[in-house]
Amino acid sequence: MEIKLCGIKFKNPIFLASGIMGDNAGALKRIAINGAGAVTTKSIGLKPNMGHKNPVIVELDEGFLNAVGLANPGVDNYIEELKKIRGFLDKIGVRIIASIYGKDEEEFKEVAKKIEPYVDMIELNISCPHAKGYGLEIGQDVDLSYNVCKSVKSAVNIPVFAKISPMVNIREIAEALCNVVDGFTAINTVKGMVIDINMKKPILSNKFGGLSGKYIKPIGVRVVYELYEYKKPIIGVGGIFNGRDALEYFMAGASAVQIGSAVYFRGYDVFNKIYKEIKEFLDKEGLELKDIIGIAHE
Amino acid sequence: MEIKLCGIKFKNPIFLASGIMGDNAGALKRIAINGAGAVTTKSIGLKPNMGHKNPVIVELDEGFLNAVGLANPGVDNYIEELKKIRGFLDKIGVRIIASIYGKDEEEFKEVAKKIEPYVDMIELNISCPHAKGYGLEIGQDVDLSYNVCKSVKSAVNIPVFAKISPMVNIREIAEALCNVVDGFTAINTVKGMVIDINMKKPILSNKFGGLSGKYIKPIGVRVVYELYEYKKPIIGVGGIFNGRDALEYFMAGASAVQIGSAVYFRGYDVFNKIYKEIKEFLDKEGLELKDIIGIAHE
Amino acid sequence: MYEVCKIINIIDETPTVKTFVLDKSFKFKPGQFAMIWLPEVNEKPFSFASENSFTIAKVGPFTDKMHKLKIGDKIAVRGPYGSYFKQYGEKILAVAGGVGAVPIVTAVEAFNAEITTILGARNKDELLFIDRFKKHSKLLICTDDGSLGFKGYTTDLMEKVLKEESFDSIIACGPEVMLKKVVKIAYEHNIPVQVSMERYMKCGIGVCGHCCLDNGLCVCKDGPVFTGEQLRKIIIYK
Amino acid sequence: MYEVCKIINIIDETPTVKTFVLDKSFKFKPGQFAMIWLPEVNEKPFSFASENSFTIAKVGPFTDKMHKLKIGDKIAVRGPYGSYFKQYGEKILAVAGGVGAVPIVTAVEAFNAEITTILGARNKDELLFIDRFKKHSKLLICTDDGSLGFKGYTTDLMEKVLKEESFDSIIACGPEVMLKKVVKIAYEHNIPVQVSMERYMKCGIGVCGHCCLDNGLCVCKDGPVFTGEQLRKIIIYK
């Protein structure tokens, strides 16, 4: 199931999503040896960021609500983490996608330029729903999103994907960005809230957070289906727990998928499991992965 | 648990949501005798509407994806249905909320004026995500939404609530509407898609549909929490399956709740069940309903 | 949710009715139905004709498409749904009109009882499942044009039979006018009756309320098989 | 998800350590922890001190707030989480430094074995659970300032003890420098060892990766109790 995205080979199309086990070298390495075709870093910014206070996550039956608030050690420190594992990941053929964020195009560009030598692709986080002044606050502004993408794209030579929120007008943002980015990652989490009825308070210290897991799969499939008409490669993400979920995303138009919450619900080896489930389906149908990408549009 | 909304008494705050068992008099009556404080009609338009072809609904583990497409017999025929049960519902103290839709302010107004004598409240559907030219296509346009609300409000003397989509900028729409409507209902379903991987097609004939049920509860609670600051009564709806879910909505700021998907998952008597669950919690805590409305904001 | 099935055989039952045999079996109870989805066409409810077949009359655009399917084609099926025929007593009268024979034949085959079947159709070419009925019951045939058996409606023959013989219970499926009459006759003879109703269905699972009867019962979920008790008020005193 | 608990008793263990007794019990295993949430303050991991109590040292803003709570106040608890101390062998050496005594005392109480406990603290006032340790083990005390028992670190006393006596396994909890030394000493004596680690945790359930060690193990999910085998590579050869 080897694939090529923007000229880059991936040993398989099942990647780690940003925000899960991406805090440091040890975590990324563990995912890499569990069969992921690529690992995506936590979203990295210019300076170290403490993020929000705890609680930053609410466990739900089949997903999470989280508001980590873009906590990260800053690009310079994170590069030290990447240096520890870059060689090993190269050796076992696992690609690294850097998720990055910034407050404006300048900050995005600076982070992108710094991190470029250590990664294979860049994913622009213009869709995180729980960080003031970042993420979705940029993604909701089509012009600002365009400027960020254009500025990063002009600064680096590796592929640049924009990560899209399901809470924006997909047509508007896709039309604006499709001529400037190399592809889309969809979707980021959906803004939500969980209240503890005994404490009578929102659980997250940030009150609002991003909903992930099984809850958002139909939303993600819909966004990928909508994005497919813009003829750019798409990485599908949102509630993929098993091979069937991944296949829905492929048929909607995704060329690869990212796994997040399911790492918790099915274990760190979820990548191998999903790989096997997809392969079984394709073998049974006598099809190859490329045959089904976007097939639901026919 | 009697409540008052805009001067109207309801015997309890647990209502039927629009779109479930609201197609005709028989269905509404069945819900009424199962303990609902009010029943909300299917969304009614000026003319009969066949809606979309089947499949119009996808059963999910804990919710639905539906694209009925505003199917309804038209306001004149529907009034005949209401006449059959109005007297009985009055006698057992169950209120009727008319959900209505139209293509513009004129159509909304006409439907509202016709149906006003047969109902207690009007809910404006400016949020249905699966009908071309209606619903969310109006709700995404703040000016058009404002005109619709203003025009209906000026034409009728009963309370008018606007039903809000979670897919719009809540601050924008709430600021525009809060001085013209009597309250908000939140949320409508979230636009999604389910693909049958064996058939390799979206299941719904309309391809896209509205996601309901447990999946969207954290999104609904979030929107109610955001709307609460505009100081209008709110009817909370979206994934309320049990008393705990309802309590989250009350604490986020809802004065009443509507039940949709749970009618299927817990049976037609879900209204009585949820009533009992809320009451048990309040009794245990020594509180009344009014004490907890919006308490998560404190 | 859907079971995607391959058509492995197609049987021409009558000039307007075909049976589609599938490669997958469903554990259904007699009278239950499934929703059959043809992508880009529509989705409609059909009674099971056996654990792996549906018998379908050509009556509109959807069934036209069904009749054009070939062996090897795929359909998507969800179900079984709905209520079913229960065996009340040892001696049962089954009344089947037109394609109403489909759920009835499955009940006749499933019951462990002495059964008399009244099978009616417009003419002899449209009679369904004669062999299956004969194998499991005493079969009385009637046709509107008298081309085979008794000339007249199933309900006419039913009244005649009930004058001569008594039954513990009655089951019936057919056009709605026939069913109303069956319920009325059964009531007059004080015999418990179950009938399978038909309605245009949208969700098929009791959610949308589209197929609700005036008493609030959903044909898709509370039905399609109702007892005379459930229907008498709305059918007879309406 | 959270269990909201009322504080029914508060015990001053030392000048800087309090035990909070709750109205609810948790089925924990020795060494497991829970996340304690104080709304509008923060949420932090704490080892269970018993099925219904947590023993907490005042070390920062969150524990300051905890220490200000009164009987009748409520806290929200989620857990138990993480790995736990397993009993290897019949003769066990337990090494507890400072508030590291909390998970160790629950293991000493839970094990069915001959146990020697080395309990250390800065000075005699900071020694925890002397009675509980005495009741279930042979207790050896040491203090940094010599105000009670052996003068010196727990690991100094540990080396002394191991010269005179042999053990089937070792368990330990305390400051990280102490733990590293415990693992090293155990390795030199070829004795299996388990230690409970501490890290700043965010999610507490192995998702965010924040508390991952260099080998990819999460302190919150794979730990907090690790075997010497799991740690030796990153602790000793780092």
Side-chain angles (χ1 to χ4, degrees):
Chain A
M1 260 194 283
E2 202 179 89
I3 61 157
K4 247 186 171 176
L5 271 186
C6 310
I8 300 175
K9 252 193 232 160
F10 292 81
K11 68 175 178 179
N12 72 53
I14 309 152
F15 306 168
L16 173 71
S18 179
I20 301 275
M21 289 292 281
D23 251 35
N24 55 46
L28 287 177
K29 186 174 166 187
R30 180 163 183 182
I31 298 300
I33 61 183
N34 270 296
V39 291
T40 310
T41 69
K42 234 198 130 349
S43 289
I44 303 300
L46 195 55
K47 300 279 172 222
N49 176 1
M50 283 295 290
H52 299 307
K53 278 191 203 166
N54 279 354
V56 292
I57 197 163
V58 185
E59 280 174 80
L60 304 171
D61 288 344
E62 308 189 278
F64 297 105
L65 188 79
N66 93 80
V68 172
L70 299 172
N72 81 98
V75 65
D76 294 328
N77 291 318
Y78 201 83
I79 285 170
E80 297 309 311
E81 295 294 308
L82 291 176
K83 282 181 184 167
K84 292 185 199 165
I85 50 165
R86 180 69 165 152
F88 175 73
L89 264 57
D90 254 352
K91 212 167 58 190
I92 63 171
V94 176
R95 301 292 183 179
I96 302 178
I97 302 171
S99 171
I100 67 170
Y101 75 91
K103 71 172 193 300
D104 54 27
E105 58 255 51
E106 281 313 306
E107 230 179 79
F108 264 100
K109 190 158 113 182
E110 209 177 329
V111 178
K113 279 166 73 174
K114 283 190 172 201
I115 213 164
E116 180 182 12
Y118 307 98
V119 300
D120 299 290
M121 243 174 81
I122 284 177
E123 185 178 283
L124 304 175
N125 182 347
I126 52 170
S127 41
C128 167
H130 51 72
K132 267 233 157 95
Y134 297 103
L136 184 54
E137 295 196 8
I138 287 170
Q140 276 176 336
D141 181 330
V142 173
D143 294 337
L144 186 48
S145 299
Y146 177 84
N147 292 343
V148 163
C149 294
K150 194 159 169 84
S151 135
V152 171
K153 189 59 196 151
S154 70
V156 301
N157 290 311
I158 56 177
V160 175
F161 276 50
K163 186 159 181 183
I164 302 295
S165 167
M167 299 168 65
V168 300
N169 186 316
I170 299 300
R171 191 169 308 165
E172 243 175 62
I173 194 100
E175 269 169 19
L177 303 188
C178 69
N179 291 318
V180 53
V181 295
D182 297 294
F184 297 110
T185 302
I187 55 175
N188 210 317
T189 54
V190 186
K191 191 176 176 186
M193 174 180 284
V194 173
I195 291 170
D196 186 285
I197 60 167
N198 295 302
M199 280 304 197
K200 302 178 184 66
K201 296 276 175 206
I203 294 176
L204 296 174
S205 72
N206 185 54
K207 295 191 169 77
F208 303 103
L211 183 66
S212 68
K214 191 163 174 184
Y215 307 100
I216 66 169
K217 192 190 71 177
I219 305 172
V221 170
R222 180 264 296 180
V223 173
V224 168
Y225 190 96
E226 289 182 326
L227 287 172
Y228 185 70
E229 79 178 80
Y230 298 91
K231 301 186 192 320
K232 287 282 170 185
I234 302 164
I235 302 174
V237 54
I240 298 173
F241 276 45
N242 54 44
R244 301 178 64 88
D245 297 332
L247 286 159
E248 270 195 78
Y249 272 94
F250 289 132
M251 291 180 185
S255 296
V257 295
Q258 290 175 343
I259 312 298
S261 304
V263 171
Y264 174 77
F265 289 96
R266 297 190 71 195
Y268 297 111
D269 59 342
V270 63
F271 303 92
N272 286 325
K273 289 176 182 161
I274 292 178
Y275 179 94
K276 217 179 121 207
E277 289 156 1
I278 295 169
K279 194 155 183 330
E280 271 168 14
F281 177 89
L282 293 174
D283 288 351
K284 195 191 70 190
E285 300 253 333
L287 294 168
E288 286 181 60
L289 185 63
K290 67 174 169 41
D291 300 330
I292 63 163
I293 289 169
I295 199 172
H297 292 260
E298 284 169 16
Chain B
M1 260 193 279
E2 203 178 87
I3 61 157
K4 247 185 173 180
L5 271 186
C6 310
I8 300 175
K9 251 193 230 161
F10 293 81
K11 68 174 178 180
N12 72 53
I14 308 154
F15 306 167
L16 173 70
S18 179
I20 301 275
M21 290 293 280
D23 252 35
N24 55 48
L28 287 177
K29 187 174 165 186
R30 180 164 183 180
I31 298 300
I33 61 184
N34 270 293
V39 292
T40 310
T41 70
K42 238 201 124 347
S43 288
I44 302 301
L46 195 56
K47 300 280 172 220
N49 176 2
M50 284 293 293
H52 300 308
K53 278 192 204 164
N54 279 353
V56 293
I57 197 163
V58 185
E59 280 173 82
L60 304 171
D61 289 343
E62 306 188 280
F64 297 106
L65 188 79
N66 94 80
V68 171
L70 297 173
N72 79 100
V75 65
D76 294 328
N77 291 317
Y78 201 83
I79 284 170
E80 296 309 312
E81 294 295 310
L82 291 176
K83 282 181 185 166
K84 292 185 200 167
I85 50 164
R86 180 68 164 153
F88 176 73
L89 264 57
D90 254 351
K91 210 167 59 191
I92 63 170
V94 176
R95 302 293 182 177
I96 303 179
I97 301 170
S99 170
I100 67 170
Y101 75 91
K103 70 173 194 300
D104 53 28
E105 57 256 50
E106 281 313 309
E107 233 180 76
F108 264 100
K109 189 159 117 182
E110 211 177 328
V111 178
K113 278 167 72 174
K114 285 190 171 204
I115 213 163
E116 180 182 12
Y118 307 97
V119 300
D120 300 290
M121 241 174 82
I122 285 177
E123 184 178 284
L124 304 175
N125 182 347
I126 51 169
S127 41
C128 166
H130 51 72
K132 264 228 157 91
Y134 298 103
L136 184 55
E137 294 195 9
I138 288 170
Q140 275 175 337
D141 181 329
V142 172
D143 294 336
L144 187 48
S145 299
Y146 176 83
N147 292 342
V148 163
C149 294
K150 190 157 173 83
S151 136
V152 171
K153 188 61 196 149
S154 69
V156 301
N157 290 312
I158 56 176
V160 175
F161 276 51
K163 187 159 178 182
I164 301 296
S165 166
M167 298 166 67
V168 300
N169 187 316
I170 299 301
R171 190 169 311 165
E172 243 175 62
I173 195 98
E175 269 169 20
L177 302 188
C178 69
N179 291 317
V180 52
V181 295
D182 297 295
F184 297 110
T185 302
I187 55 175
N188 209 316
T189 55
V190 187
K191 191 174 177 188
M193 174 180 282
V194 172
I195 292 171
D196 185 284
I197 60 166
N198 294 302
M199 281 302 197
K200 303 177 185 67
K201 296 277 175 207
I203 293 174
L204 297 174
S205 73
N206 185 54
K207 295 190 170 80
F208 303 104
L211 183 66
S212 66
K214 191 165 172 179
Y215 307 100
I216 66 169
K217 193 191 71 178
I219 304 173
V221 171
R222 180 264 296 180
V223 173
V224 168
Y225 190 96
E226 288 181 327
L227 287 172
Y228 186 70
E229 80 179 80
Y230 298 92
K231 302 188 194 315
K232 287 281 170 185
I234 302 164
I235 302 174
V237 53
I240 299 172
F241 277 43
N242 55 43
R244 301 176 65 86
D245 297 333
L247 286 160
E248 269 194 78
Y249 272 93
F250 290 131
M251 290 180 184
S255 297
V257 296
Q258 290 176 343
I259 312 298
S261 304
V263 171
Y264 175 78
F265 290 95
R266 297 191 71 194
Y268 297 110
D269 59 341
V270 62
F271 304 91
N272 286 325
K273 289 177 183 162
I274 291 178
Y275 180 94
K276 218 179 120 205
E277 289 156 2
I278 295 169
K279 191 150 183 339
E280 272 168 15
F281 177 88
L282 292 175
D283 289 350
K284 196 191 72 191
E285 299 252 335
L287 294 168
E288 286 181 61
L289 185 63
K290 66 173 170 45
D291 300 330
I292 62 162
I293 290 169
I295 199 173
H297 292 261
E298 285 166 18
Chain C
M1 186 182 57
Y2 288 97
E3 198 68 63
V4 173
C5 306
K6 201 184 277 181
I7 297 170
I8 56 168
N9 196 13
I10 298 175
I11 303 160
D12 291 317
E13 301 283 0
T14 82
T16 59
V17 176
K18 288 185 182 186
T19 292
F20 300 86
V21 184
L22 309 177
D23 66 341
K24 287 191 181 121
S25 290
F26 296 79
K27 262 204 151 143
F28 78 106
K29 288 175 179 161
Q32 285 191 304
F33 69 96
M35 299 294 283
I36 297 182
W37 171 41
L38 298 182
E40 272 138 88
V41 183
N42 211 324
E43 184 191 51
K44 299 272 173 183
F46 295 96
S47 295
F48 283 93
S50 77
E51 61 172 20
N52 67 337
S53 68
F54 293 93
T55 297
I56 294 171
K58 202 166 123 178
V59 294
F62 183 85
T63 48
D64 272 11
K65 285 272 181 190
M66 282 293 304
H67 275 233
K68 284 183 185 129
L69 293 178
K70 295 190 176 50
I71 289 172
D73 284 346
K74 285 176 178 175
I75 62 173
V77 178
R78 62 181 170 111
Y81 291 128
S83 63
Y84 50 91
F85 287 114
K86 296 185 187 81
Q87 182 180 334
Y88 295 128
E90 318 283 287
K91 190 153 180 261
I92 291 164
L93 179 62
V95 186
V99 283
V102 179
I104 295 297
V105 77
T106 64
V108 166
E109 287 175 343
F111 286 176
N112 183 14
E114 185 193 335
I115 304 172
T116 298
T117 302
I118 297 173
L119 175 67
R122 231 165 301 148
N123 58 56
K124 74 174 198 299
D125 291 342
E126 293 295 340
L127 290 161
L128 279 175
F129 305 135
I130 291 182
D131 292 345
R132 287 172 69 181
F133 278 118
K134 267 193 182 155
K135 195 169 167 194
H136 295 90
S137 66
K138 179 177 148 198
L139 179 61
L140 307 177
I141 284 172
C142 61
T143 51
D144 298 0
D145 66 355
S147 51
L148 193 70
F150 177 86
K151 184 181 171 176
Y153 295 136
T154 49
T155 44
D156 300 333
L157 184 51
M158 180 184 167
E159 288 198 294
K160 202 172 146 229
V161 168
L162 285 177
K163 268 179 206 148
E164 291 157 16
E165 221 174 322
S166 86
F167 292 89
D168 295 336
S169 74
I170 299 169
I171 63 172
C173 185
E176 194 150 327
V177 280
M178 173 193 127
L179 294 183
K180 285 183 181 173
K181 216 156 171 201
V182 167
V183 172
K184 195 160 168 278
I185 296 169
Y187 180 65
E188 286 160 7
H189 286 78
N190 201 20
I191 303 173
V193 61
Q194 302 168 74
V195 303
S196 174
M197 305 267 292
E198 215 179 287
R199 274 284 184 289
Y200 181 62
M201 290 178 190
K202 284 177 125 0
C203 74
I205 52 175
V207 171
C208 70
H210 191 80
C211 66
C212 268
L213 305 175
D214 282 349
N215 57 6
L217 294 178
C218 293
V219 172
C220 66
K221 187 163 184 181
D222 303 295
V225 177
F226 292 102
T227 65
E229 283 311 311
Q230 288 177 297
L231 296 179
R232 203 156 286 155
K233 228 169 146 180
I234 54 169
I235 282 189
I236 299 183
Y237 305 112
K238 186 171 181 168
Chain D
M1 188 184 59
Y2 287 97
E3 200 69 63
V4 173
C5 307
K6 200 183 279 182
I7 296 170
I8 54 169
N9 196 12
I10 298 174
I11 302 160
D12 290 317
E13 302 282 359
T14 81
T16 60
V17 177
K18 288 185 182 185
T19 291
F20 300 86
V21 184
L22 308 178
D23 65 341
K24 289 193 180 115
S25 291
F26 296 80
K27 262 203 148 140
F28 79 105
K29 289 176 176 159
Q32 284 192 308
F33 69 95
M35 299 294 284
I36 296 182
W37 171 40
L38 298 182
E40 274 138 85
V41 183
N42 210 324
E43 184 191 52
K44 299 273 174 181
F46 295 97
S47 295
F48 283 93
S50 77
E51 61 173 19
N52 68 336
S53 68
F54 293 93
T55 297
I56 295 172
K58 201 164 123 179
V59 295
F62 182 85
T63 47
D64 270 11
K65 285 272 182 191
M66 282 293 304
H67 275 234
K68 283 183 186 131
L69 293 178
K70 296 191 171 51
I71 289 173
D73 285 346
K74 285 175 177 178
I75 63 173
V77 178
R78 62 182 170 109
Y81 292 128
S83 62
Y84 50 91
F85 287 113
K86 296 187 188 78
Q87 184 181 334
Y88 295 128
E90 318 284 283
K91 188 150 185 265
I92 293 165
L93 178 63
V95 186
V99 281
V102 178
I104 295 296
V105 79
T106 65
V108 166
E109 287 175 341
F111 287 176
N112 183 11
E114 183 193 334
I115 304 173
T116 299
T117 301
I118 296 173
L119 175 66
R122 232 165 301 146
N123 57 55
K124 74 172 198 300
D125 290 341
E126 293 295 339
L127 290 162
L128 279 175
F129 305 135
I130 291 181
D131 292 345
R132 286 170 72 181
F133 277 118
K134 265 192 183 156
K135 193 167 169 195
H136 295 91
S137 67
K138 178 177 151 199
L139 179 61
L140 308 176
I141 284 172
C142 59
T143 50
D144 297 0
D145 66 357
S147 51
L148 193 70
F150 178 86
K151 183 180 174 178
Y153 296 137
T154 50
T155 44
D156 299 332
L157 184 52
M158 178 184 170
E159 288 197 292
K160 202 172 145 229
V161 168
L162 284 177
K163 267 179 206 148
E164 292 158 14
E165 219 173 326
S166 85
F167 292 89
D168 295 336
S169 75
I170 299 168
I171 62 173
C173 186
E176 195 151 326
V177 279
M178 173 192 127
L179 295 183
K180 284 183 181 173
K181 213 155 175 202
V182 167
V183 171
K184 194 160 170 281
I185 295 168
Y187 181 65
E188 286 160 5
H189 286 78
N190 201 22
I191 303 174
V193 61
Q194 301 166 75
V195 303
S196 174
M197 305 266 293
E198 213 179 291
R199 273 283 183 290
Y200 180 62
M201 289 177 191
K202 283 174 122 7
C203 73
I205 53 176
V207 170
C208 71
H210 192 82
C211 65
C212 269
L213 304 175
D214 282 350
N215 57 5
L217 295 177
C218 294
V219 172
C220 65
K221 189 166 182 178
D222 303 297
V225 177
F226 293 101
T227 64
E229 284 310 310
Q230 288 176 298
L231 296 180
R232 203 156 284 156
K233 231 170 146 179
I234 54 168
I235 282 190
I236 299 183
Y237 305 113
K238 182 168 181 170

